[in-house]
Amino acid sequence: MDRTQSAKHRVVIIGGGFGGLQAAQSLKRADVEVTLVDRSNHHLFQPLLYQVATGGLSPANIAAPLRSILERHANTRVLQAEVVGFDLESRTVKLNEGELAYDSLIVAAGSSHSYFGHPEWSSLAPGLKSIENATDMRARILSAFERAERTDDPEERHRLLTFVIVGGGPTGVELAGALSELSRHTLRHEFRSIKSEEATIMLVDAGPRVLGMYSEHLSDEATKSLEKLGVTLCSGKIVTEIAPSHVVLTKDDQHETVGTETVLWAAGVAASPLAKMLADASGQEVDRQGRIAVNEKLDITGHDNVFVIGDMARCLDADGQPLPGLAPVAIQQGKYAAKLIARRSSGKSLKKGFVYRDWGSMATVGRSMAIVQMGKLEFAGYFAWLVWLFVHLMQLVTFENRLLVLFQWAWNYITRNRSARLITNTPVAITTKS
Amino acid sequence: MDRTQSAKHRVVIIGGGFGGLQAAQSLKRADVEVTLVDRSNHHLFQPLLYQVATGGLSPANIAAPLRSILERHANTRVLQAEVVGFDLESRTVKLNEGELAYDSLIVAAGSSHSYFGHPEWSSLAPGLKSIENATDMRARILSAFERAERTDDPEERHRLLTFVIVGGGPTGVELAGALSELSRHTLRHEFRSIKSEEATIMLVDAGPRVLGMYSEHLSDEATKSLEKLGVTLCSGKIVTEIAPSHVVLTKDDQHETVGTETVLWAAGVAASPLAKMLADASGQEVDRQGRIAVNEKLDITGHDNVFVIGDMARCLDADGQPLPGLAPVAIQQGKYAAKLIARRSSGKSLKKGFVYRDWGSMATVGRSMAIVQMGKLEFAGYFAWLVWLFVHLMQLVTFENRLLVLFQWAWNYITRNRSARLITNTPVAITTKS
C-alpha cells in the first residue's frame, strides 16, 4: 500500500462519484500524485438507476470502471478499498488494509438513505443508490407480478399489485412513471391470471405537492402527467409504519393502512458516515443530514488541506442556504477543489471562494414528458423530454454507453419493451410465499 | 395455482432452457394447454455466459424474460416456481407452492456442476450455469486484479495473478481465451503496481488434449492458438485439492501445488436432481452423471406421457452411445416431444422414434479464431470465427439482443475494451484480505 517516498504533492480523493471523479479528472495535468479510493470499482450514473430498477437498461450501461476512465491519467492511481478512519494530524487515511498518506485530501463519499429514525425499514423498502439496490428493486418489482400471477387469493393478489413509492422528488416521480409504463404497457399481455395494467402505483410525499423544489406551475404539470399515467398521488401524507405486507400513511392523525408487499424508498438521504468521522477528527458537529460544514474554499475548519465536496458537505450559498445534493454541485465543487490544489502545489494561490453556478434542473415523468427549470425559464412537455434525454445521454462517461443507452431508449420507445427484466440474486424471502 | 377443469390436454413443461422453451414454442398451434415452469424468470443463452463472466456482455444481453418470449402463445402460461416432487400416479407436479396436474409432462431442468465427489469445492471454484454464477465469476476475476494492485507482498501478488481454469472443453477454452484478452489487452494500462498482462492463465484438463471431443487436428489448432494467447496448458492432470490459496494438480502420483486464489470450474456436469426424483418415482436408477434413461420416444419406462429431454436425459444414439449435453440435442428433443404430444392429443400417433441430427459443433479460442466440425468437414481460423459469431448471434432469442450483442462485439473488437466490468454483489470474503 505504501508507495516510495516522492517529492510530489500527494492528493488522495475518496469516492469516485460525480465530485471525486471530476476532481481526479481536473488534476490530470497538475504536477501532483493522485490516488482515487472507492469501495466499488465503477463510477455510477445514479440519475438513471431507476431505469435499471425497472428493466429498461442494464447496470453496465450506466456505469464505467474507474480504472478505465482514468487509464490515461499518468499521475493517477485507482484503489478499490474501504476508508475506515482519518488521522488529520499525521495526514493519513486509514483503509481496511493499510493506510494512505496525503498532502491534500478530497472527501467525496456521497450519501446513502435515511429512514427518518427507522433503520429497520431499510430491508423492507430498498432505496436507489447502488447497482445492487437497483437490481434488488428490479427483482422485488418483477417478483411481485410473478407472485400475483401464482396466487388464488384475491386479497393477496391486490396487495402484490400495489406498489408504494415513498418520496415525491425526481427519483420517486421517475420511478412512478417507469412503473406505470412497465405495468400498463410492457407486461400487459404477458400474464394469464392477472391484468398487470391494473396495478396500483402510489406516490407518497409529505409535502403539499410532488417535485416541491420546482415551481408550482411545473409541479402541477408533473402532477397532471402522473395522473394520466394512473399514478395515485398521496401528497401531504407521511409513512408511519412499514411492515412486510402493509404500510401506514398518516395525515393529521388520520391513519390509513395500505396493503402492499413492495415499498420503494425515494425519500431521505443521509451523508456518508465518513462526514461524522471527519467531524469527530476535527472537533466539529454534523448537521441533521449528517453533513459536515465547509468553508468558502470547501475546506473544513482548522484543516485547509482537507476538502469535502458533494452530498457530504454542508456548503452555504450566497443566501446562507445549504446547496442541494445534486450532481452539478458535486461536479463544480470537484473542479474547484482540484484547481485550488493544483494552484497551491505549484506555489500559487486561489483567492476566490467556491460559487455554485446553477444551470437549472430537470426531471422526467414517464415517456415523452419532462419538466425543465433554468432560472426564470421553465418549460414542460415533449421538448423538455428531448432536452432531458440529450442532457442525460451526454453525461454518461463513455461513448460506448451513450450509444448503447440511445439504442435501447429508441428500441423501448418504439416497442414499449424493457428487455433487462431479470430477476437475479433474489433473497429467498421474496420468491416464496410469506 | 389450480386452474378450472378443462377438456384440453394439459402439458406441463419444467424448465425454460433450450429444450423446454423449444417444446413450448413447438406447441404454439397445438390444441393443448401448456404451462411452462421455471425457477428463474428468463431463458438464458448459456454458451455466451463466459462473455458475461469476463465483462464483455451484460447479463440481459444473453437472457430474455420467458413471459416475453411466449407472450403471443395464447395456449401457454408461464409460472415462476420451483418443482419439489412428482406424483406420476396422480399425474401431478408438486411445486414449492401448490401443485400442477398434467396429462403430458416434459421435464427439461438441465444440469448443474459436478465437483467429482468434492461438493465443498463449489464455493471455492464457481462454475458457469446461471447469471449469478457469471457475475460472481466476474467479481472474483476483477477482484483478484484489484487485490494484486493493493498488496505489497510479491508472493501474494503472484498468487492473485494466477488463474486456474479446470476443464478443457469448450467452456474452459473460451474462458481461457477471454481471460487472456482481458489481462493482456483490456486491463493493460489500467494498473500502476502490477502488469496485468503478466497474469498466468492455466487450463487444466484430465485428458491428453484440450477439446478432446473434436478431431486431433482441430484440437491441435486450438492448442496452438491458446499457446499464442499465453495460456499455460496442463493436460493429463487432475485437480486433487482446492483450497482458498492454492490447488494441487496431480499426474501419475506426482503432486504439484499451484498458488492461486481464483479457480474457475468448467469441468463436470451433473443432471438436475429432478432426474433422481423422477427415477425414484418410477422405480429406476440414474447413471453416473445423474441422468435418467429415456426410450426412443424420449419417455421414461412405464410412463409414456412423461418425457425427459436435454442434459437430464440419457438418450442413446444409433451406436448405443449417450447423446452429449448440447443445446442442439435439447432443442431437437424439445421439438420431437412437442410433436408427439400434439399428435397424440389430436388422436393421431407418431411411429418414428427420436433421431438426433448432428449439424456439427464449434468453439472459439480468443479473438478471431474458432474451430468448426461438421461431420467430415472441419476448419479452423478466422473464417471459422465468423461462422461462430454468426451462428451464436442468430441463436439469441430476441432481435434487440442480437443488435446489442453485435454492437458490443464490434466495439470490443475495435477497442479491445470490455465495458461490463462491474464488481457487484461481492461476498466480503473476496474483497478483504484473507
Side-chain angles (χ1 to χ4, degrees), chain B residues 115-137:
Chain B
Y115 287 91
F116 305 136
H118 289 278
E120 73 279 11
W121 289 354
S122 73
S123 63
L124 297 167
L128 211 45
K129 284 282 172 188
S130 66
I131 284 177
E132 286 85 353
N133 286 161
T135 52
D136 177 22
M137 200 180 265

Side-chain angles (χ1 to χ4, degrees), chain A residues 367-378:
Chain A
R367 145 202 185 96
S368 313
M369 156 74 188
I371 61 172
V372 175
Q373 185 150 26
M374 298 169 68
K376 303 247 162 190
L377 177 66
E378 54 178 56

Side-chain angles (χ1 to χ4, degrees), chain A residues 341-363:
Chain A
I341 291 170
R343 286 277 180 99
R344 276 192 196 154
S345 71
S346 58
K348 290 177 233 160
S349 67
L350 184 64
K351 292 234 172 86
K352 228 178 131 243
F354 172 73
V355 178
Y356 173 55
R357 177 81 194 260
D358 185 359
W359 293 98
S361 50
M362 53 183 81

Side-chain angles (χ1 to χ4, degrees), chain B residues 41-365:
Chain B
N41 77 328
H42 49 268
H43 169 73
L44 176 63
F45 190 69
Q46 285 181 342
L48 290 178
L49 266 183
Y50 79 97
Q51 298 213 356
V52 173
T54 52
L57 293 174
S58 281
N61 301 150
I62 60 162
L66 285 164
R67 285 193 185 289
S68 182
I69 304 171
L70 297 170
E71 181 182 352
R72 283 156 205 268
H73 289 233
N75 64 350
T76 307
R77 182 179 181 194
V78 175
L79 269 191
Q80 194 190 5
E82 180 132 16
V83 172
V84 296
F86 298 98
D87 186 334
L88 301 182
E89 300 317 313
S90 69
R91 302 191 166 187
T92 48
V93 176
K94 288 175 187 145
L95 306 177
N96 52 343
E97 318 167 13
E99 51 184 41
L100 278 175
Y102 63 82
D103 297 306
S104 293
L105 175 65
I106 300 178
V107 187
S111 56
S112 60
H113 303 289
S114 157
Y115 287 91
F116 305 136
H118 289 278
E120 73 279 11
W121 289 354
S122 73
S123 63
L124 297 167
L128 211 45
K129 284 282 172 188
S130 66
I131 284 177
E132 286 85 353
N133 286 161
T135 52
D136 177 22
M137 200 180 265
R138 182 176 77 183
R140 284 171 193 253
I141 293 168
L142 296 172
S143 295
F145 285 102
E146 294 293 336
R147 290 169 58 202
E149 172 82 352
R150 286 203 297 268
T151 187
D152 292 319
D153 175 350
E155 200 179 308
E156 185 187 7
R157 183 172 289 174
H158 188 259
R159 208 163 63 218
L160 285 165
L161 291 179
T162 301
F163 299 87
V164 176
I165 300 166
V166 185
T171 303
V173 167
E174 284 162 353
L175 256 182
L179 256 179
S180 159
E181 176 79 12
L182 184 73
S183 64
R184 293 178 141 207
H185 297 286
T186 309
L187 298 179
R188 184 157 194 175
H189 301 291
E190 297 194 357
F191 293 89
R192 302 294 177 251
S193 306
I194 61 168
K195 287 193 198 306
S196 69
E197 63 272 29
E198 290 176 359
T200 304
I201 298 158
M202 301 177 75
L203 183 61
V204 182
D205 194 68
R209 55 191 176 89
V210 296
L211 297 173
M213 62 294 277
Y214 288 82
S215 75
E216 204 154 329
H217 165 67
L218 288 181
S219 175
D220 286 351
E221 290 289 326
T223 302
K224 268 185 260 169
S225 297
L226 285 168
E227 280 165 353
K228 254 188 246 164
L229 291 170
V231 175
T232 308
L233 293 169
C234 308
S235 296
K237 294 185 183 173
I238 59 167
V239 176
T240 46
E241 188 186 329
I242 301 182
S245 58
H246 72 265
V247 294
V248 176
L249 308 182
T250 301
K251 185 179 191 172
D252 303 332
D253 282 332
Q254 300 287 312
H255 303 290
E256 175 193 355
T257 300
V258 177
T260 177
E261 306 212 1
T262 317
V263 186
L264 309 176
W265 194 258
V269 290
S272 155
L274 294 190
K276 178 86 170 74
M277 268 185 228
L278 269 182
D280 290 345
S282 60
Q284 294 177 61
E285 299 284 323
V286 293
D287 72 2
R288 259 187 53 204
Q289 275 136 281
R291 297 176 297 191
I292 182 169
V294 294
N295 302 318
E296 59 159 17
K297 291 194 172 166
L298 305 179
D299 50 355
I300 61 175
T301 302
H303 299 273
D304 68 356
N305 65 332
V306 177
F307 305 87
V308 181
I309 62 175
D311 290 5
M312 284 177 63
R314 182 182 172 88
C315 178
L316 304 182
D317 65 11
D319 303 330
Q321 291 300 310
L323 291 172
L326 294 174
V329 174
I331 291 170
Q332 292 179 30
Q333 290 176 333
K335 268 190 198 149
Y336 178 88
K339 191 173 172 187
L340 180 57
I341 291 170
R343 286 277 180 101
R344 276 192 195 157
S345 71
S346 58
K348 290 177 234 162
S349 67
L350 184 65
K351 291 235 171 85
K352 230 177 128 238
F354 173 72
V355 178
Y356 174 54
R357 178 82 195 257
D358 185 358
W359 293 97
S361 51
M362 54 183 80
T364 179
V365 192

Side-chain angles (χ1 to χ4, degrees), chain A residues 15-37:
Chain A
F18 288 110
L21 179 59
Q22 180 61 59
Q25 287 175 318
S26 297
L27 286 167
K28 182 173 186 179
R29 272 170 250 288
D31 189 28
V32 296
E33 226 176 37
V34 180
T35 304
L36 176 70
V37 181

Side-chain angles (χ1 to χ4, degrees), chain B residues 365-379:
Chain B
V365 192
R367 150 201 182 95
S368 312
M369 156 71 186
I371 61 172
V372 175
Q373 187 151 22
M374 298 169 67
K376 303 249 161 188
L377 177 67
E378 53 178 59
F379 52 104

Side-chain angles (χ1 to χ4, degrees), chain A residues 115-189:
Chain A
Y115 288 89
F116 305 135
H118 290 277
E120 74 278 11
W121 290 354
S122 74
S123 63
L124 296 168
L128 211 43
K129 283 282 173 188
S130 67
I131 285 177
E132 286 86 351
N133 285 162
T135 51
D136 177 21
M137 201 181 266
R138 182 176 75 184
R140 285 171 193 251
I141 294 168
L142 297 173
S143 294
F145 285 102
E146 294 293 337
R147 291 169 59 202
E149 173 82 353
R150 286 202 298 268
T151 187
D152 291 318
D153 175 352
E155 200 180 308
E156 186 186 8
R157 181 170 291 171
H158 188 260
R159 208 163 63 218
L160 285 164
L161 291 178
T162 301
F163 299 86
V164 176
I165 300 166
V166 185
T171 304
V173 167
E174 284 163 354
L175 256 181
L179 256 179
S180 158
E181 177 78 12
L182 185 72
S183 63
R184 293 179 141 207
H185 297 286
T186 309
L187 298 179
R188 185 158 194 175
H189 301 291

